[in-house]
Structure formats: structure tokens, C-alpha cells
Amino acid sequence: MSPHDMDRRTLLKLSGLSLVGATAGCLEGEEETTTTTTEESGGGGGGGEETTTTTEESGGGDSSYTIGMVDSLTGSLAPYGERNTRGRELALAAINEAGIGSEGASLNISVEDDESTNQGGVNGAQKLVNQDGVPLLIGSVGSGVSIAIHDSVTNDAGVVQISQNSTSPELTSRPDLLRMSPSGAAKGQALASLVSDDGHDTVAVTWINNDYGTGLSDVFAETFESELGGTVAYNEPHDQGQSSYSGILTEMASTDASAWVFITYANEYTVMVNEGFDQGYNTAVDYYGAESTVADSIIENTPAGSMDGMKGITESAPQDQENYQNFVSAFEENYDATPTVWSAYAYDAVTVAALAIEAADEFSGEALASVVRDVTRPEGEEVFNFEEAAAVLRDGGSPSDINYQGVSGPVDLDENGDPPGYYQIYSVEDHEYVFGDYITS
């Protein structure tokens, strides 16, 4: 087996994974009662049920570390939160097969649902930080949710926060808010270029009224008008979770725009597509979108032909990278499905967290913050999985001696907490997503 291959025994050892285990204070060795969030890996509603689990550990038994995660299990972002589950499971299996530290401690993740809202995210983070005492928190999907968690909870508490999926350019202004997915700034520029290159000089844009929508729409509009000489004839927000957006579509149709750009979430876009199909708008103008208009639930809940010809820009993993290919193989073998890059981001968020724990002098927010960037930086030796990285550290290496190459691509967290980005052009053909050329930021 290649040293860069994932251990298949590790990735297949998924039964009995602990998403919640010992308390957040590391290296517990006593009987505990914990609340476990049990999640379905399939394409269901993304909800979880709470059960009470007793974990028995003797003084000489396995030790464990517990970190927190705030994810979108219900609400508008549930289609995206669901796909994080499998990436998280695969990462946990690989990490726990190798064990953390000289005692081979296990990693547990306590998961809270943010309900796809800022307040839900803050509530979940407060429980994890203030009650459970986690020193590191992964979260969330929505950019606004991640920012709210940072500003209201983790920043003041000195807790390391790593977002698995948030892309808004606004996160860049918060250097302590790390993320695995790249900033949407380059994506907004690429989307504007795609629309312009297709021959459109007038567009109508509607964007979801939060930090994600604001950040991406601002970059798109600035690029399309100031750099490409186009006109944004309509540029208005829409609220999350509405049952109808016919008023927005009517206003867009009243312009002379030949292209409509949707910067929104899966549930909202599904409503818009269905209403646009009913009014025949889909044949009158060309649709464009970003990564958030790519979801199986959209295809499943809209009629054939309602989106054909749509194009967009989405984050992507480097398909030719061996590390990613191994991840895809393991994912398909375990779940009989092909992963998205968002599953890869979730995998990398968990792995980087585990590497920080392995490298830090103690299990505290301050200690983890001092090493979490170093384990991803390009100055170190390239390592392609947790076991390989841990071996370097246990052989006397320092955090800066390793450069974790994620399954989503090089992580290389910069001074703003941002990684580099890979993007891909997609289109909808015969009511299916088709992925084409790559763009690198």
C-alpha cells in the first residue's frame, strides 16, 4: 500500500463510531452519562434524535478527547449539513484507528444542530463551549451562522473555531475564524466572468439576505460592472424560508436582463425554479448560480427541463490528486455514493482538529490555536493522512515540520485563516448536474 493511501481497514471501521463521548476535559477515566446525537447517513431530513448513553471507562482504559461541532441538520441548509456527516465519520474512523498521542486516545465529536439560523448556531455553540467546555469547535455551514458563533461565543472564550463549509468573504476579516472551504471572493469573480463570457451584458441578481448572500453578490456585481463593463439591472435580496418568491421573479422579469443569477440556498432555489417553470421564465432567460444551487434535493423536487442550460461555479477538489481519489474510493465503498467536495471539507476540518490536538502541549484553546495553522503550512513535510502526520510528530517533529495535504486539496491556512481554492464550472443537462473545467484561485 502506498504511504499516501488511506487505510481501508480504518475507513471501513465505521460501526460504533462515537459522536459524543467523554466530557471535553481530556483523558477521562470514569463512568459518565452523556447525550448523544444520532444522525442518519442517508438522504433523509437530516434530523437527529437524542438518546442517553452511558460510557464506562476504567482508569486503565482508553482515553478520549471531545471537541464540538455545530452543523445544519434541519432548516434551509440541511441538504448541505447532511453531506458533512459522512466526511466526518470517515475522518473519525481514520483518526481513531491510529489514536491520538502516546496513549492512543480516541477523538469524539459532540454535534449540535444550528437549525440553519444564526441564533440556533449561537445556542448550540454556547452549550458546547459553556456547558461542555470544548476548546475547539467545528462550525458551521452557513457563513452568517459561523460569523455569529465567532462573534458571540468562540472569540471571547478563546476557543478555536474551524468552519467546514462557510465561504463568505466576510470571514476573511476575522483571522481567528479558520475555514476549510475557500473564500467566495474568487468564486464571485469567476461567476461574473462566466456570465460575461457567455455573451450577457445585462443581468438580474437575487441573493439570500445574510452574510453569504451579501458577500458573494457584492463581489459578483462589482466584477461584472466595474471590470467587465456589464449592467446589473436588478440586485435585490430575498428572505430565507419563504413559501413563494413569485414577487422577486416578477421584478426580475420586468428588466431587460438576459441572465438571472441566483445566490441562494437549496430550499429557496427549489421554490424559485418551480415558480419560474410555471411562468415559463426558464425558457426566456439563462439561469446561473453558485455552489449553493447544487444539491440532489433540488433535482429531486423540480420537474425535468426546469433548469436545463443553467450554469454556475462551485468549489471543487483537485480530481487528479491521489489523496482525493483514495477518499472517493473509500467513500463509495462505504456509502455506495460519490462524495461532494463539501464532504471532503468536513473530513479535513476534523483531521486538522485532530492534528492540532496531537501537536499541542495541552488540550486547551490557547495551545490548540498556537499550532493549528502550522500543521497545514507549506514549509513542512507533505503528509497525506492523520497517521502519516502523527508519525512525524511522534518522532520528534514540531507542528511546523508537517504540511497536511487535505483530501479537498492543500489546506495552507494563511494569516486570515483562509485556504487556497479550487473551483469548477457546472451546468444542468437533462436535469442532471454536469461538471466541467477547473479554475484555481
Side-chain angles (χ1 to χ4, degrees), residues 241-424:
Q242 301 298 300
S243 61
S244 174
Y245 294 97
S246 60
I248 295 287
L249 299 183
T250 298
E251 291 175 357
M252 295 172 76
S254 69
T255 71
D256 59 351
S258 57
W260 289 6
V261 178
F262 298 92
I263 300 174
T264 189
Y265 296 148
N267 290 356
E268 288 72 16
Y269 183 60
T270 298
V271 175
M272 293 179 186
V273 169
N274 286 325
E275 292 183 332
F277 182 72
D278 290 342
Q279 296 299 318
Y281 295 144
N282 60 302
T283 60
V285 297
D286 291 336
Y287 288 179
Y288 291 85
E291 86 293 343
S292 54
T293 47
V294 178
D296 290 341
S297 65
I298 299 173
I299 298 293
E300 294 165 359
N301 293 290
T302 54
S306 58
M307 291 191 294
D308 284 356
M310 179 190 183
K311 291 183 180 180
I313 303 291
T314 183
E315 286 78 0
S316 178
Q319 305 285 330
D320 58 349
Q321 182 175 291
E322 181 183 5
N323 202 24
Y324 180 71
Q325 293 173 355
N326 293 333
F327 171 73
V328 171
S329 297
F331 192 100
E332 292 176 342
E333 197 164 335
N334 278 281
Y335 302 113
D336 193 28
T338 301
T340 66
V341 70
W342 306 99
S343 298
Y345 291 141
Y347 184 103
D348 285 338
V350 175
T351 303
V352 168
L355 288 176
I357 296 171
E358 179 77 38
D361 293 333
E362 62 181 18
F363 191 53
S364 68
E366 182 179 1
L368 295 173
S370 70
V371 299
V372 66
R373 276 184 173 84
D374 290 342
V375 299
T376 73
R377 298 296 298 152
E379 292 79 11
E381 175 187 345
E382 290 187 351
V383 289
F384 293 83
N385 54 56
F386 174 80
E387 184 176 14
E388 193 173 314
V392 175
L393 293 170
R394 293 171 194 173
D395 195 35
S398 69
S400 58
D401 289 330
I402 61 173
N403 172 20
Y404 173 62
Q405 300 291 298
V407 296
S408 64
V411 179
D412 294 349
L413 294 175
D414 64 15
E415 66 276 7
N416 297 316
D418 292 337
Y422 286 81
Y423 301 96
Q424 194 170 17

Side-chain angles (χ1 to χ4, degrees), residues 186-201 203 220 223-224 228 259 261 286-290 309-314 424-427 437 439:
K187 178 174 59 187
Q189 294 166 354
L191 181 57
S193 295
L194 176 65
V195 175
S196 178
D197 289 345
D198 283 348
H200 299 287
D201 56 16
V203 302
F220 174 88
T223 303
F224 193 78
L228 301 175
V261 178
D286 291 336
Y287 288 179
Y288 291 85
M310 179 190 183
K311 291 183 180 180
I313 303 291
T314 183
Q424 194 170 17
I425 298 173
Y426 71 87
S427 60
D437 295 337
I439 302 167

Side-chain angles (χ1 to χ4, degrees), residues 70 113-125 145:
V70 176
D113 181 14
D114 62 28
E115 302 174 348
S116 302
T117 67
N118 290 4
Q119 189 58 54
V122 169
N123 292 343
V145 182

Side-chain angles (χ1 to χ4, degrees), residues 6 10-12 14 17 84-95 327-328 330-332 334-335 339 343 347 351:
M6 290 184 181
T10 293
L11 297 178
L12 291 172
L14 294 175
L17 271 180
N84 289 331
T85 300
R86 293 170 174 177
R88 180 176 69 241
E89 287 177 345
L90 290 178
L92 275 175
I95 293 160
F327 171 73
V328 171
F331 192 100
E332 292 176 342
N334 278 281
Y335 302 113
S343 298
Y347 184 103
T351 303

